[in-house]
Amino acid sequence: AVSLPFAVGQCGNQVGCRFWDLALREHAAVNKKGIYDEALSSFFRNVDTRSGGDGPGIYKGKICSLKARALLIDMEEGVVNEILQGPLRDVFDSKQLITDVSGSGNNWAVGHKLYGYQYRENIVEKLRKTAEHCDCLQCFFIIHSMGGGTGSGLGTFVLNLLEDEFPEVYRFVTSVYPSGEDDVITSPYNSVLAMKELNEHADCVLPVENESLFDIVNKINQMINSGKLGSTVKQNSLVTSSAGSVKTHQEKPFDAMNNIVANLLLNLTSSARFEGSLNMDLNEISMNLVPFPRLHYLVSSLTPLYTLADVNVPSRRLDQMFSDAFSRDHQLIQADPKHSLYLACALLVRGNVQVSDLRRNIERLKPSLHFISWNQEGWKTGLCSVPPVGHSHSLLALANNTCVKPTFIELKERFMKLYKKKAHLHHYLQIDGMEQSCFSEAVSSLSDLIEEYNELDATKGGPRTDPSRLKIAV
Amino acid sequence: MSIVTVQLGQCGNQIGHEVFQSLCSDIHGTHGLCSREENQSYQDACKERFFWEEEGSGVPVARAVLVDMEPKVISQTLSMAARSGCWKYNHQSHFCQKQGSGNNWANGYSVHGPRHKESIMDLVQKEAERCDRLGGFVTTMSMAGGTGSGLGAFVTQCLRDAFPASFILNHVIWPYGTGEVIVQNYNSVLTLSHLYRSADALLVHQNDVIHKICAQLMNIRHISFRDVNQVIAHQLGSVFQPAHSAQGGPGYSRNPLGDLMETLVPHPEFKMLGLRNIPQIAESSLPYSTFSWPGLIKHLRQMLIANAQMEEGIDWQVRPPPAGSSSHSTKRPLHFNTSIANLVILRGKDVHSVDLGSFQDPSLYTSWLNPRDAWSAWRTPRAFNKYEKSASLVSNSQFLLRPLDSLVGKAWNMFASKAYIHQYTKFGIEEEDFLDSFTTLEQVISSYTTL
């Protein structure tokens, strides 16, 4: 089953670029015979460039030329051009790109209403073409940031479009949320306007915060530079590293952070691509982690962040990996799940880990976590045999937890601070199709979402009375 | 008579493979501690029951249909069997899609079911026609996911419609209590209630129980699903390998499913069958262990009475109620497991000398059947799977009452909050359908409780 990523905007495309690079690295490590197999086909087409590379592609047999199944969208050329001139240029063809020159000026309305309207047909056409080449389309991924104009505005426009054109295909969104100190002043507007779209049209959202990525990068650097005995790390095992990627390139400033997000996506889709004793597909993730339609924001954490290279140092105990997954150091957003309420939790394990290891750790960790009353054993588990490059095993934890509430409350506060003073509003309202009601509806949607989390939080720690069962006449 | 197996979903296909592997390695194993003729007879009966012979190569081909909504597991299963060298699957006999069912029972039942009914039943029909005499169907599936459970329930219904006179046994895997799938309780409730309407009986294996057996009896340190599946395969093999039934003349039983149903399912309200097999030990310990029949029978009987899941940790305090006491359940001692009917299967050395009188004790049973009719025994001197002596118990009793009650309770608790319901209504399973299923199962629980 095929997953189709859309990278929208500058951030989205930078992450996307890292994603494709690391995906190639992962498949190269596993695919020794150079045969185009099911695993590869979920992200790549196999194309015979001699025949123009336009057809649906070759389905079996040797790898000729791999083309990524993707759409790259940006209203500014800089990032996409760099990709096309860089080592990944052969992985994309021009029919997968939609670009413009002037950018969206950090204005959601420009991205969503202006460019959305302008490029709608173009996007639909390219989308259909790309989808045609897919044997069985299971899932769309949108990778974007919330704080800007293109990723945020056009990205959510694409989200809407996907729902209209392909209603049965799942829509997963990886959204980079702005921090409080974000240098884009209007990022709260952009984010809240985008949130409404995510609330209504996404199946699953994986929020990511730059601060968390930054902390992870620092933690790794500290560890490497500490000079502690046995701290030589396998370079290609770093969750932040591009080392060993198929296409070597010059490291850029955000690469380390973007690699983390790329690894998130690789791990998320690993069980759908590779075999294992308990497969976990993307549609299963959506099914198990979303108990109510709008509560689909998942906290993700990745472990391990690195593997030590020194074989004399005993490899980190398996159990430590599970503990780390529930430590805030490994989360991709700043939140506190341990002190909030779990609605559901998924553990996707890769590598040589067995069901008994999984169960033992769930038993061990359960008591310190608060699960909602109707989902006390709410764990979804997956075992994929193939570990990520450089590791013998890894774990991705996805939690639907009310701890996202403070993030949203804070976002709303930053929004209101600007909105009360009507700051910068005119930049938005001058765009065709944009009205004051867009703003009030957006903040209302966010408030409703926060309220839904509040209601669930209210049940925490309360007396547990199970509903009475049906009575049968004997 | 031949049995056609339908393997559904990841679990069903993984287990199915281990079952055929176990059957094959059993018949190719050592002589089986019996006469040459007996051994030959056993091999022939097993082959007729579960395999047909490939023209030319003579390789046994499993009488099986493999169904899954995603390709990886079936692909692996087919190639593992082919590599075994002693048997294989028919590579035409599988049906596969790309999407999976997303752990969604409604998706499996209401979408995949109708959409692929024709293709799947076509394959089943071909396998059925290949049998000289069709003895019935065994489906193997898990209740927790989307394909095995939902599509499995749909296929079972189709089997019933297409083969109204054939026996249908669902082999169902009960998931771990502490979650493999969050919506597993919903999927299980929907599955069980639907299977109950179409199948003749449900033979249940619980992951938690098998896991304990692996840990405590087999001494496996890092238990994998493969380990669990191999124990399950061994237990199933101990039931379905050829044996002489009590009534039957010389020669192996020609109607194993029929015999099983006749003994164990006297009433359509009671279809839940549990399975116990002893001894169960690590293969490496086998050569150093000896067992006596009286010891095995005593343990097996107490496992039945005390509802013990394995031969360690049995509660020997539990006793059947004194003779002559009323059969009303409230007078029964606590923790006593009342049976409707039992089937004991003995394999190996000196089976004919074994005294099974203790299983005919009327106090073990409800009062509806004459105790003589409430139990049956199958025997064969041919040893099974390297165990010099092996005893299995298939029981229609209160074995599964507490797990069922607990499962329904958890599902109901979740249902009351309406969590995840939108995922099912999206594919056409409404709240009323859930209520119907809950009602069916509460009825089953009530029936088993008041035994």
Side-chain angles (χ1 to χ4, degrees):
Chain A
V2 168
S3 308
L4 201 56
F6 287 74
V8 188
Q10 177 176 23
C11 168
N13 278 287
Q14 283 172 343
V15 172
C17 182
R18 298 315 315 134
F19 171 73
W20 291 116
D21 203 355
L22 291 178
L24 283 170
R25 180 178 80 166
E26 183 165 274
H27 283 281
V30 173
N31 192 327
K32 298 296 180 196
K33 296 189 188 148
I35 305 284
Y36 180 70
D37 58 13
E38 282 280 346
L40 264 176
S41 79
S42 59
F43 283 134
F44 298 95
R45 286 160 52 210
N46 189 19
V47 167
D48 186 349
T49 40
R50 291 169 299 174
S51 65
D54 219 13
I58 309 161
Y59 235 144
K60 289 248 154 90
K62 284 203 81 73
I63 295 173
C64 300
S65 173
L66 291 175
K67 293 260 180 258
R69 300 184 194 274
L71 282 185
L72 279 60
I73 305 177
D74 202 354
M75 294 296 98
E76 235 180 8
E77 292 181 311
V79 176
V80 174
N81 275 345
E82 244 189 276
I83 296 176
L84 291 185
Q85 282 154 21
L88 285 178
R89 60 180 166 276
D90 295 325
V91 176
F92 302 104
D93 68 47
S94 59
K95 299 190 197 63
Q96 298 170 260
L97 312 169
I98 298 168
T99 54
D100 202 312
V101 259
S102 7
S104 303
N106 286 325
N107 186 329
W108 183 93
V110 173
H112 196 97
K113 305 278 185 185
L114 195 77
Y115 285 124
Y117 179 74
Q118 199 174 321
Y119 282 96
R120 183 177 219 280
E121 260 175 63
N122 190 342
I123 297 174
V124 172
E125 198 197 305
K126 295 199 162 137
L127 168 62
R128 291 206 165 282
K129 204 72 220 211
T130 314
E132 255 167 50
H133 295 162
C134 301
D135 203 8
C136 169
L137 192 50
Q138 185 180 65
C139 182
F140 293 119
F141 279 100
I142 294 183
I143 311 169
H144 72 151
S145 74
M146 300 281 277
T150 303
S152 174
L154 189 54
T156 51
F157 178 83
V158 169
L159 181 61
N160 265 278
L161 204 141
L162 293 174
E163 186 171 19
D164 288 337
E165 300 288 319
F166 294 89
E168 308 95 42
V169 180
Y170 287 86
R171 296 173 293 281
F172 274 67
V173 187
T174 305
S175 307
V176 181
Y177 279 68
S179 68
E181 297 89 45
D182 198 81
D183 50 4
V184 174
I185 301 178
T186 49
S187 66
Y189 281 163
N190 297 330
S191 303
V192 173
L193 289 163
M195 274 290 285
K196 173 168 182 288
E197 309 300 317
L198 294 184
N199 283 344
E200 292 172 16
H201 305 289
D203 288 308
C204 250
V205 179
L206 301 163
V208 174
E209 285 178 305
N210 276 340
E211 284 150 73
S212 296
L213 299 180
F214 195 62
D215 286 344
I216 291 176
V217 171
N218 278 341
K219 183 174 152 142
I220 290 177
N221 285 337
Q222 263 173 28
M223 203 242 20
I224 296 181
N225 297 330
S226 70
K228 274 206 297 242
L229 186 67
S231 61
T232 330
V233 151
K234 276 199 221 166
Q235 273 303 304
N236 62 357
S237 75
L238 289 173
V239 74
T240 51
S241 161
S242 313
S245 20
V246 175
K247 321 278 181 174
T248 46
H249 73 299
Q250 252 195 332
E251 289 251 351
K252 296 201 298 293
F254 281 105
D255 272 359
M257 289 162 67
N258 292 336
N259 279 332
I260 299 173
V261 184
N263 276 309
L264 167 67
L265 292 175
L266 282 178
N267 285 331
L268 189 63
T269 56
S270 59
S271 185
R273 291 177 288 136
F274 301 116
E275 40 113 78
S277 63
L278 190 57
N279 296 338
M280 183 152 101
D281 228 329
L282 289 163
N283 49 4
E284 291 172 27
I285 291 176
S286 171
M287 172 70 176
N288 284 285
L289 292 176
V290 184
F292 301 103
R294 298 204 322 161
L295 302 184
H296 54 245
Y297 294 86
L298 307 177
V299 178
S300 47
S301 44
L302 280 175
T303 100
L305 302 177
Y306 54 81
T307 299
L308 297 177
D310 188 345
V311 292
N312 291 322
V313 176
S315 56
R316 305 193 97 197
R317 276 167 42 238
L318 195 58
D319 292 11
Q320 183 63 45
M321 180 176 80
F322 283 89
S323 301
D324 285 343
F326 289 90
S327 131
R328 297 185 62 169
D329 288 347
H330 291 255
Q331 285 168 205
L332 272 62
I333 68 165
Q334 312 264 297
D336 192 4
K338 279 202 169 152
H339 292 107
S340 304
L341 203 55
Y342 277 88
L343 304 181
C345 189
L347 298 175
L348 212 179
V349 185
R350 298 180 67 174
N352 187 15
V353 182
Q354 302 306 339
V355 62
S356 52
D357 301 312
L358 195 51
R359 302 195 63 234
R360 180 181 69 249
N361 279 287
I362 290 177
E363 288 302 313
R364 188 172 62 84
L365 293 165
K366 222 170 62 143
S368 61
L369 308 170
H370 305 283
F371 274 79
I372 198 159
S373 67
W374 43 257
N375 206 2
Q376 287 285 299
E377 280 108 13
W379 296 88
K380 164 68 181 160
T381 55
L383 293 166
C384 171
S385 316
V386 177
V389 174
H391 296 277
S392 55
H393 38 71
S394 77
L395 172 61
L396 165 65
L398 295 172
N400 191 340
N401 186 305
T402 57
C403 67
V404 291
K405 195 179 68 177
T407 309
F408 297 151
I409 291 177
E410 226 192 274
L411 187 61
K412 183 181 165 187
E413 278 165 13
R414 278 186 259 137
F415 174 95
M416 292 309 293
K417 224 167 141 187
L418 291 175
Y419 191 57
K420 282 202 181 102
K421 296 183 280 181
K422 305 229 190 296
H424 304 281
L425 222 49
H426 57 287
H427 291 305
Y428 291 77
L429 297 176
Q430 73 193 13
I431 305 295
D432 223 358
M434 201 63 189
E435 282 156 29
Q436 190 109 2
S437 59
C438 296
F439 281 83
S440 51
E441 275 164 27
V443 75
S444 175
S445 173
L446 184 55
S447 300
D448 286 345
L449 182 67
I450 292 170
E451 191 46 41
E452 262 189 79
Y453 281 112
N454 271 333
E455 279 169 27
L456 291 172
D457 267 337
T459 67
K460 183 170 173 233
R464 170 88 186 272
T465 42
D466 290 337
S468 29
R469 300 262 291 270
L470 290 176
K471 298 260 182 298
I472 301 294
V474 170
Chain B
M1 256 199 196
S2 307
I3 296 175
V4 172
T5 303
V6 185
Q7 304 179 179
L8 296 142
Q10 172 165 29
C11 172
N13 279 290
Q14 282 174 188
I15 288 183
H17 167 259
E18 296 297 344
V19 172
F20 286 110
Q21 185 60 43
S22 162
L23 295 175
C24 238
S25 95
D26 177 40
I27 59 179
H28 290 300
T30 52
H31 243 250
L33 299 183
C34 59
S35 69
R36 259 232 161 123
E37 296 84 45
E38 185 80 56
N39 195 42
Q40 189 62 52
S41 192
Y42 183 82
Q43 281 189 7
D44 292 340
C46 170
K47 281 205 188 134
E48 195 207 346
R49 218 176 257 195
F50 296 108
F51 300 92
W52 52 275
E53 225 171 73
E54 184 177 56
E55 252 182 72
S57 68
V59 173
V61 183
R63 298 185 190 276
V65 178
L66 290 69
V67 180
D68 201 358
M69 292 297 100
E70 67 111 342
K72 298 195 295 290
V73 181
I74 286 189
S75 159
Q76 252 193 310
T77 305
L78 290 176
S79 66
M80 278 199 293
R83 281 201 306 262
S84 73
C86 65
W87 69 283
K88 60 197 268 207
Y89 282 107
N90 175 0
H91 284 227
Q92 257 77 51
S93 211
H94 77 270
F95 181 79
C96 211
Q97 289 293 280
K98 303 243 176 193
Q99 276 268 29
S101 299
N103 287 166
N104 191 323
W105 193 93
N107 195 5
Y109 185 85
S110 306
V111 178
H112 290 308
R115 197 178 281 176
H116 306 302
K117 173 179 174 176
E118 224 179 290
S119 310
I120 296 173
M121 290 310 288
D122 206 54
L123 293 175
V124 172
Q125 191 67 41
K126 287 202 173 80
E127 279 305 324
E129 277 165 18
R130 218 195 295 271
C131 305
D132 275 343
R133 285 170 63 198
L134 179 63
F137 299 93
V138 173
T139 70
T140 154
M141 67 251 262
S142 125
M143 313 194 290
T147 299
S149 71
L151 180 59
F154 186 84
V155 167
T156 303
Q157 223 167 277
C158 295
L159 286 175
R160 176 51 75 214
D161 292 336
F163 300 91
S166 290
F167 294 106
I168 300 175
L169 176 71
N170 295 123
H171 175 233
V172 181
I173 302 299
W174 206 274
Y176 286 103
T178 53
E180 297 165 27
V181 170
I182 293 176
V183 291
Q184 63 185 43
N185 297 320
Y186 279 168
N187 292 338
S188 301
V189 165
L190 291 164
T191 304
L192 288 172
S193 57
H194 277 77
L195 292 182
Y196 229 79
R197 295 170 207 159
S198 320
D200 293 301
L202 279 62
L203 181 61
V204 174
H205 267 116
Q206 296 163 265
N207 273 350
D208 281 303
V209 171
I210 306 298
H211 192 105
K212 258 207 219 133
I213 290 177
C214 287
Q216 296 180 274
L217 298 181
M218 320 278 288
N219 286 322
I220 303 175
R221 293 271 299 283
H222 297 285
I223 300 165
S224 64
F225 272 113
R226 186 124 197 265
D227 297 317
V228 171
N229 293 344
Q230 284 178 340
V231 172
I232 292 175
H234 171 88
Q235 295 205 345
L236 282 182
S238 77
V239 174
F240 290 115
Q241 282 293 47
H244 303 278
S245 59
Q247 323 77 327
Y252 285 106
S253 160
R254 308 229 48 213
N255 189 9
L257 283 182
D259 291 341
L260 191 113
M261 301 302 177
E262 197 185 350
T263 303
L264 292 173
V265 192
H267 189 296
E269 185 64 21
F270 299 89
K271 293 181 178 173
M272 307 280 290
L273 305 178
L275 174 53
R276 300 284 184 266
N277 166 264
I278 60 172
Q280 193 99 56
I281 57 177
E283 197 173 305
S284 49
S285 311
L286 262 178
Y288 309 106
S289 319
T290 43
F291 299 92
S292 73
W293 281 120
L296 288 174
I297 298 305
K298 192 163 167 222
H299 275 75
L300 197 60
R301 181 176 183 270
Q302 192 60 25
M303 281 165 74
L304 169 65
I305 292 172
N307 199 358
Q309 291 150 356
M310 54 182 182
E311 60 257 49
E312 262 176 43
I314 300 175
D315 184 353
W316 291 94
Q317 301 299 331
V318 180
R319 296 248 186 278
S325 63
S326 127
S327 68
H328 197 284
S329 55
T330 52
K331 294 264 173 65
R332 282 269 156 89
L334 230 56
H335 306 309
F336 173 72
N337 181 45
T338 308
S339 301
I340 294 171
N342 288 308
L343 167 65
V344 175
I345 306 169
L346 303 177
R347 300 177 183 275
K349 194 164 174 216
D350 302 328
V351 278
H352 292 290
S353 64
V354 182
D355 176 11
L356 288 171
S358 60
F359 276 94
Q360 297 173 271
D361 181 352
S363 62
L364 265 52
Y365 298 93
T366 63
S367 59
W368 334 320
L369 295 171
N370 190 321
R372 272 200 320 272
D373 300 328
W375 88 285
S376 190
W378 298 353
R379 304 172 202 241
T380 171
R382 208 281 186 177
F384 171 65
N385 212 8
K386 303 187 187 132
Y387 283 80
E388 184 199 58
K389 302 185 181 84
S390 162
S392 294
L393 168 68
V394 187
S395 175
N396 190 345
S397 66
Q398 293 172 317
F399 261 167
L400 293 159
L401 180 52
R402 246 184 294 167
L404 181 59
D405 189 54
S406 161
L407 181 122
V408 172
K410 287 188 209 164
W412 184 249
N413 199 8
M414 192 180 266
F415 184 68
S417 72
K418 300 285 171 278
Y420 299 102
I421 299 298
H422 73 283
Q423 306 269 17
Y424 292 84
T425 54
K426 188 159 74 173
F427 293 109
I429 296 295
E430 306 293 332
E431 286 188 32
E432 298 88 70
D433 298 308
F434 274 92
L435 284 172
D436 282 343
S437 289
F438 278 113
T439 308
T440 301
L441 293 184
E442 293 286 9
Q443 182 67 63
V444 173
I445 291 170
S446 167
S447 303
Y448 273 101
T449 307
T450 52
L451 270 188

